[in-house]
C-alpha cells in the first residue's frame, strides 16, 4: 500500500489505477498517530520499532512470537503452522528482520507531505477491513479524500488481512 501511495504521488502517469488493502496513505497515518488516541493505541508497536536493534533482539529471543501473533489476527486458515514455519524461516534470514522493520521506521523518520485533497490522480479502490486491530476505519476515508477518484469499500467483520480473511470478496472487488 505504501508503495502504491508513493507512486501515485510521484509517478501518477505510470499507474492506470490502484487498489489498496488496509493501508492508509502514509501522511494520513502519521497524522492519525499524532492526533488520534485510538490510532496511537492500535499502532503503538510502531513506536517500539523505532528503537535501533532492540526490536530485532526481542523478536528473535521470543522466536518471532510478536510477528506470529500479528498474523494470527487473520482467520485461522490463513496462516496454518506449516505456513508460519515458512515465514519464520524467512524472518531468520540475515538482514530480513531489519529490512521488514525499516518500513515502519521510515514512516516516522522521514517527513511525509500531505497531498491536497483530490491531488492523487490514479483511480483508487480502497478495501478496508473495519475490524483491523492495527488501524482505524477512518484512515480509509481520509486517504480516499486525497484522490481525484476513489471508492472505499468498508468490510465489517474483517481485519487487517482482508485478502486472507475474505479472498473471494476481495477478488470480486478487484
Amino acid at each position: 500500500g505504501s508503495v502504491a501511495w508513493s507512486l501515485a504521488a510521484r509517478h501518477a502517469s505510470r499507474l492506470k489505477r490502484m487498489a489498496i488493502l488496509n493501508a492508509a496513505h502514509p501522511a494520513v497515518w502519521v497524522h492519525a498517530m499524532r492526533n488520534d488516541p485510538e490510532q496511537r493505541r492500535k499502532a503503538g508497536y510502531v513506536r517500539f520499532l523505532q528503537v535501533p536493534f532492540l526490536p530485532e533482539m526481542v523478536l528473535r529471543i521470543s522466536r518471532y512470537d510478536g510477528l506470529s501473533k500479528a498474523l494470527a489476527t487473520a482467520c485461522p486458515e490463513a496462516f496454518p503452522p506449516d505456513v508460519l514455519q515458512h515465514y519464520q524461516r524467512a524472518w531468520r534470514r540475515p538482514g530480513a528482520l531489519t529490512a521488514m522493520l525499516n518500513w515502519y521506521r521510515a514512516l516516522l523518520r522521514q517527513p511525509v507531505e500531505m497531498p491536497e485533497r483530490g491531488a492523487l490522480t490514479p483511480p483508487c479502490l480502497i478495501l478496508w477491513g473495519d475490524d483491523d486491530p492495527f488501524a482505524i476505519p477512518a484512515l480509509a476515508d481520509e486517504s480516499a479524500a486525497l484522490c481525484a477518484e476513489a471508492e472505499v469499500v468498508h468490510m465489517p467483520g474483517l481485519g487487517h488481512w482482508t485478502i486472507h480473511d475474505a479472498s473471494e470478496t476481495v477478488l470480486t472487488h478487484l
Side-chain angles (χ1 to χ4, degrees):
S2 294
V3 172
W5 288 120
S6 178
L7 282 171
R10 292 182 176 89
H11 304 287
S13 64
R14 295 181 181 226
L15 295 175
K16 287 185 180 179
R17 60 184 179 268
M18 61 183 189
I20 306 289
L21 283 68
N22 279 72
H25 184 281
V28 168
W29 185 87
V30 169
H31 182 266
M33 285 295 287
R34 291 186 179 135
N35 299 293
D36 189 299
E38 184 182 5
Q39 181 56 39
R40 257 195 316 275
R41 180 187 57 75
K42 284 184 170 235
Y45 66 93
V46 176
R47 296 227 185 266
F48 171 67
L49 297 179
Q50 302 303 305
V51 179
F53 310 111
L54 183 62
E56 286 91 335
M57 186 176 70
V58 169
L59 287 166
R60 283 188 191 104
I61 289 170
S62 71
R63 296 180 177 196
Y64 310 98
D65 187 56
L67 297 173
S68 296
K69 284 181 178 176
L71 295 178
T73 63
C75 68
E77 305 83 40
F79 300 103
D82 63 317
V83 172
L84 274 178
Q85 288 175 354
H86 287 291
Y87 276 93
Q88 289 171 346
R89 275 196 296 280
W91 297 332
R92 285 193 297 267
R93 294 182 68 192
L97 199 55
T98 298
M100 287 175 21
L101 300 182
N102 281 346
W103 281 90
Y104 294 93
R105 290 171 173 148
L107 278 171
L108 296 177
R109 287 188 183 159
Q110 301 295 323
V112 183
E113 188 176 319
M114 182 72 77
E116 296 291 323
R117 292 178 66 86
L120 303 178
T121 57
C124 182
L125 171 64
I126 300 174
L127 304 177
W128 199 271
D130 283 343
D131 292 343
D132 190 330
F134 312 113
I136 58 175
L139 297 178
D141 302 301
E142 292 167 19
S143 296
L146 303 177
C147 300
E149 180 185 336
E151 176 187 0
V152 178
V153 178
H154 285 278
M155 297 182 286
L158 296 180
H160 187 72
W161 309 105
T162 53
I163 191 68
H164 297 285
D165 291 338
S167 58
E168 290 302 319
T169 301
V170 169
L171 293 173
T172 297
H173 284 289
L174 292 175

